[in-house]
Amino acid sequence: MARITSAVFSSHIPAVGAAIDGGTTDNEYWSPVFKRFEFSKQWQADNKPDVIILVYNDHASAFDLRVVPTFAIGCSESFEIADEGWGPRPVPPVIGHPDLAWHIAQSVILDSFDLTICNDFKVDHGLTVPLSLMFGQPDAWPCKVIPFMVNVIQYPPPTGKRCFDLGNALRNAVEKFDEDLNVHIWGTGGMSHQLQYTRAGLINKEWDTNFLNTLIADPEELSKTSHTEYIREAGSEGIELVMWLVARAALGAQVNEIQRFYHVPASNTALGHLILEKADS
Ligand code: DHB
Ligand code: FE
């Protein structure tokens, strides 16, 4: 049987990708971040999954305002790299796991989650920056990745509660897959940030700290946080944090904290990072 054994949470700041690709990770600005990720990279190398379900948001690289799925799963064999801003990053294509992805789509629909099934889409920094943070710069990514896209760009995004329930449905789905697979689930984006208008640059360390504490200890309570609170307290792009609730719920209630890191500033955001393992894995 397949099993979700660990969850990794990380911001997906595009400037972090540019630092990796441009070789500036050890300068004064970035070295405090990348030094802390040395531990995470070692943990990742020691705990290699067969498949990662990578929950992220697209930033108008694959979808634009013509088509806005709320939840979309990548079912193809591979995914090309795209991006806005700095353009496509020089990283390997992402290799998918179509059998598990189709199984998930069929299973979660029985739990009332109607996913958009994507047989051809490109993935951007929302997905590639966390991969680079955890795996460095390999010629090929060392495991398969199922891209799982959540709309947090165009209102209305899903609620935290919907994301929490989806995480539970994903865990059920994976545990019904009839093959021994070690699966990790990642939640990306966040933490507090606002990229535009008069509150641009907003950082709310107190709110972020409480988010991390509650995500670990009582994610169901955290799932009650309203859209309005995310925007007011964490900024307009802080809503990306609902994706962390998908990953946290998918891991199950009892977890061990392996890594926790919070750093300000990183580009326009507070950079947050967690590694959790299932307690009985
Ligand atoms: C930044 C952060 C993001 O999450 C993003 O998608 C784009 C930009 C930033 O901090 O610059
Ligand atoms: Fe983003």
Side-chain angles (χ1 to χ4, degrees), residues 12-14 59 125 190 193 195 240 266-269:
H12 60 220
I13 304 161
H59 303 76
H125 68 267
H193 63 303
L195 300 180
E240 289 183 346
S267 186
N268 296 297
T269 92

PDB file of all heavy atoms in Angstrom, residues 12-14 59 125 190 193 195 240 266-269, ligand 1:
ATOM      1  N   HIS A  12       7.807  29.793  -1.904  1.00  0.00           N
ATOM      2  CA  HIS A  12       8.284  29.489  -3.277  1.00  0.00           C
ATOM      3  C   HIS A  12       8.773  30.753  -3.988  1.00  0.00           C
ATOM      4  O   HIS A  12       8.649  30.882  -5.208  1.00  0.00           O
ATOM      5  CB  HIS A  12       7.185  28.778  -4.068  1.00  0.00           C
ATOM      6  CG  HIS A  12       5.920  29.561  -4.225  1.00  0.00           C
ATOM      7  ND1 HIS A  12       4.669  29.004  -4.148  1.00  0.00           N
ATOM      8  CD2 HIS A  12       5.702  30.888  -4.453  1.00  0.00           C
ATOM      9  CE1 HIS A  12       3.750  29.929  -4.342  1.00  0.00           C
ATOM     10  NE2 HIS A  12       4.351  31.089  -4.530  1.00  0.00           N
ATOM     11  N   ILE A  13       9.340  31.648  -3.211  1.00  0.00           N
ATOM     12  CA  ILE A  13       9.756  32.971  -3.689  1.00  0.00           C
ATOM     13  C   ILE A  13      10.620  32.887  -4.964  1.00  0.00           C
ATOM     14  O   ILE A  13      11.669  32.248  -4.968  1.00  0.00           O
ATOM     15  CB  ILE A  13      10.575  33.659  -2.570  1.00  0.00           C
ATOM     16  CG1 ILE A  13       9.736  33.708  -1.287  1.00  0.00           C
ATOM     17  CG2 ILE A  13      11.035  35.034  -2.989  1.00  0.00           C
ATOM     18  CD1 ILE A  13      10.562  33.930  -0.029  1.00  0.00           C
ATOM     19  N   PRO A  14      10.198  33.544  -6.056  1.00  0.00           N
ATOM     20  CA  PRO A  14      10.965  33.438  -7.301  1.00  0.00           C
ATOM     21  C   PRO A  14      12.399  33.943  -7.175  1.00  0.00           C
ATOM     22  O   PRO A  14      13.301  33.407  -7.829  1.00  0.00           O
ATOM     23  CB  PRO A  14      10.162  34.286  -8.303  1.00  0.00           C
ATOM     24  CG  PRO A  14       9.067  34.944  -7.547  1.00  0.00           C
ATOM     25  CD  PRO A  14       8.929  34.281  -6.226  1.00  0.00           C
ATOM     26  N   HIS A  59       1.163  30.798 -11.332  1.00  0.00           N
ATOM     27  CA  HIS A  59       1.122  32.264 -11.347  1.00  0.00           C
ATOM     28  C   HIS A  59       0.915  32.748 -12.780  1.00  0.00           C
ATOM     29  O   HIS A  59       1.756  33.449 -13.336  1.00  0.00           O
ATOM     30  CB  HIS A  59       2.406  32.854 -10.777  1.00  0.00           C
ATOM     31  CG  HIS A  59       2.722  32.400  -9.379  1.00  0.00           C
ATOM     32  ND1 HIS A  59       3.217  31.161  -9.077  1.00  0.00           N
ATOM     33  CD2 HIS A  59       2.613  33.051  -8.188  1.00  0.00           C
ATOM     34  CE1 HIS A  59       3.401  31.055  -7.769  1.00  0.00           C
ATOM     35  NE2 HIS A  59       3.043  32.178  -7.204  1.00  0.00           N
ATOM     36  N   HIS A 125       7.504  28.685 -10.869  1.00  0.00           N
ATOM     37  CA  HIS A 125       8.301  28.778  -9.630  1.00  0.00           C
ATOM     38  C   HIS A 125       7.557  28.272  -8.402  1.00  0.00           C
ATOM     39  O   HIS A 125       8.178  27.853  -7.435  1.00  0.00           O
ATOM     40  CB  HIS A 125       8.771  30.227  -9.409  1.00  0.00           C
ATOM     41  CG  HIS A 125       7.680  31.201  -9.084  1.00  0.00           C
ATOM     42  ND1 HIS A 125       7.035  31.958 -10.031  1.00  0.00           N
ATOM     43  CD2 HIS A 125       7.104  31.557  -7.901  1.00  0.00           C
ATOM     44  CE1 HIS A 125       6.126  32.742  -9.466  1.00  0.00           C
ATOM     45  NE2 HIS A 125       6.144  32.511  -8.160  1.00  0.00           N
ATOM     46  N   GLY A 190       3.282  31.344   0.604  1.00  0.00           N
ATOM     47  CA  GLY A 190       3.365  32.068   1.872  1.00  0.00           C
ATOM     48  C   GLY A 190       4.748  32.624   2.100  1.00  0.00           C
ATOM     49  O   GLY A 190       5.543  32.686   1.187  1.00  0.00           O
ATOM     50  N   HIS A 193       2.676  38.014   2.883  1.00  0.00           N
ATOM     51  CA  HIS A 193       3.213  38.922   1.876  1.00  0.00           C
ATOM     52  C   HIS A 193       2.107  39.576   1.066  1.00  0.00           C
ATOM     53  O   HIS A 193       1.056  39.008   0.836  1.00  0.00           O
ATOM     54  CB  HIS A 193       4.258  38.282   0.964  1.00  0.00           C
ATOM     55  CG  HIS A 193       3.862  37.145   0.068  1.00  0.00           C
ATOM     56  ND1 HIS A 193       3.301  35.979   0.505  1.00  0.00           N
ATOM     57  CD2 HIS A 193       4.012  36.989  -1.283  1.00  0.00           C
ATOM     58  CE1 HIS A 193       3.129  35.151  -0.513  1.00  0.00           C
ATOM     59  NE2 HIS A 193       3.542  35.744  -1.618  1.00  0.00           N
ATOM     60  N   LEU A 195       2.137  41.957  -2.546  1.00  0.00           N
ATOM     61  CA  LEU A 195       3.053  42.411  -3.597  1.00  0.00           C
ATOM     62  C   LEU A 195       2.663  43.748  -4.214  1.00  0.00           C
ATOM     63  O   LEU A 195       3.419  44.294  -5.005  1.00  0.00           O
ATOM     64  CB  LEU A 195       3.147  41.344  -4.700  1.00  0.00           C
ATOM     65  CG  LEU A 195       3.657  39.957  -4.256  1.00  0.00           C
ATOM     66  CD1 LEU A 195       3.701  39.002  -5.434  1.00  0.00           C
ATOM     67  CD2 LEU A 195       5.027  40.062  -3.601  1.00  0.00           C
ATOM     68  N   GLU A 240      -1.889  32.306  -0.021  1.00  0.00           N
ATOM     69  CA  GLU A 240      -1.175  31.098  -0.478  1.00  0.00           C
ATOM     70  C   GLU A 240      -1.082  30.058   0.634  1.00  0.00           C
ATOM     71  O   GLU A 240      -0.951  28.858   0.377  1.00  0.00           O
ATOM     72  CB  GLU A 240       0.240  31.455  -0.965  1.00  0.00           C
ATOM     73  CG  GLU A 240       0.246  32.215  -2.282  1.00  0.00           C
ATOM     74  CD  GLU A 240       1.645  32.522  -2.806  1.00  0.00           C
ATOM     75  OE1 GLU A 240       2.644  32.393  -2.058  1.00  0.00           O
ATOM     76  OE2 GLU A 240       1.748  32.916  -3.974  1.00  0.00           O
ATOM     77  N   ALA A 266      12.767  38.043   2.785  1.00  0.00           N
ATOM     78  CA  ALA A 266      13.219  37.300   1.611  1.00  0.00           C
ATOM     79  C   ALA A 266      12.381  37.823   0.466  1.00  0.00           C
ATOM     80  O   ALA A 266      11.188  37.537   0.398  1.00  0.00           O
ATOM     81  CB  ALA A 266      13.018  35.807   1.812  1.00  0.00           C
ATOM     82  N   SER A 267      12.978  38.610  -0.387  1.00  0.00           N
ATOM     83  CA  SER A 267      12.241  39.362  -1.393  1.00  0.00           C
ATOM     84  C   SER A 267      11.143  40.143  -0.667  1.00  0.00           C
ATOM     85  O   SER A 267      11.436  40.846   0.312  1.00  0.00           O
ATOM     86  CB  SER A 267      11.694  38.427  -2.480  1.00  0.00           C
ATOM     87  OG  SER A 267      11.097  39.177  -3.516  1.00  0.00           O
ATOM     88  N   ASN A 268       9.888  39.977  -1.075  1.00  0.00           N
ATOM     89  CA  ASN A 268       8.810  40.728  -0.419  1.00  0.00           C
ATOM     90  C   ASN A 268       8.071  39.906   0.630  1.00  0.00           C
ATOM     91  O   ASN A 268       7.016  40.323   1.090  1.00  0.00           O
ATOM     92  CB  ASN A 268       7.806  41.167  -1.487  1.00  0.00           C
ATOM     93  CG  ASN A 268       8.434  42.116  -2.459  1.00  0.00           C
ATOM     94  OD1 ASN A 268       8.847  43.210  -2.093  1.00  0.00           O
ATOM     95  ND2 ASN A 268       8.549  41.699  -3.704  1.00  0.00           N
ATOM     96  N   THR A 269       8.583  38.747   0.980  1.00  0.00           N
ATOM     97  CA  THR A 269       7.816  37.876   1.868  1.00  0.00           C
ATOM     98  C   THR A 269       8.608  37.446   3.090  1.00  0.00           C
ATOM     99  O   THR A 269       9.820  37.574   3.157  1.00  0.00           O
ATOM    100  CB  THR A 269       7.323  36.578   1.158  1.00  0.00           C
ATOM    101  OG1 THR A 269       8.281  35.554   1.354  1.00  0.00           O
ATOM    102  CG2 THR A 269       7.096  36.788  -0.307  1.00  0.00           C
TER     103      THR A 269
HETATM  104  C1  DHB B   1       7.155  36.979  -4.607  1.00  0.00           C
HETATM  105  C2  DHB B   1       6.578  35.954  -3.881  1.00  0.00           C
HETATM  106  C3  DHB B   1       5.708  35.048  -4.472  1.00  0.00           C
HETATM  107  O1  DHB B   1       5.087  34.042  -3.812  1.00  0.00           O
HETATM  108  C4  DHB B   1       5.437  35.160  -5.816  1.00  0.00           C
HETATM  109  O2  DHB B   1       4.654  34.228  -6.382  1.00  0.00           O
HETATM  110  C5  DHB B   1       5.991  36.208  -6.559  1.00  0.00           C
HETATM  111  C6  DHB B   1       6.851  37.109  -5.944  1.00  0.00           C
HETATM  112  C7  DHB B   1       8.108  37.930  -3.982  1.00  0.00           C
HETATM  113  O3  DHB B   1       8.272  37.946  -2.777  1.00  0.00           O
HETATM  114  O4  DHB B   1       8.760  38.680  -4.695  1.00  0.00           O
END
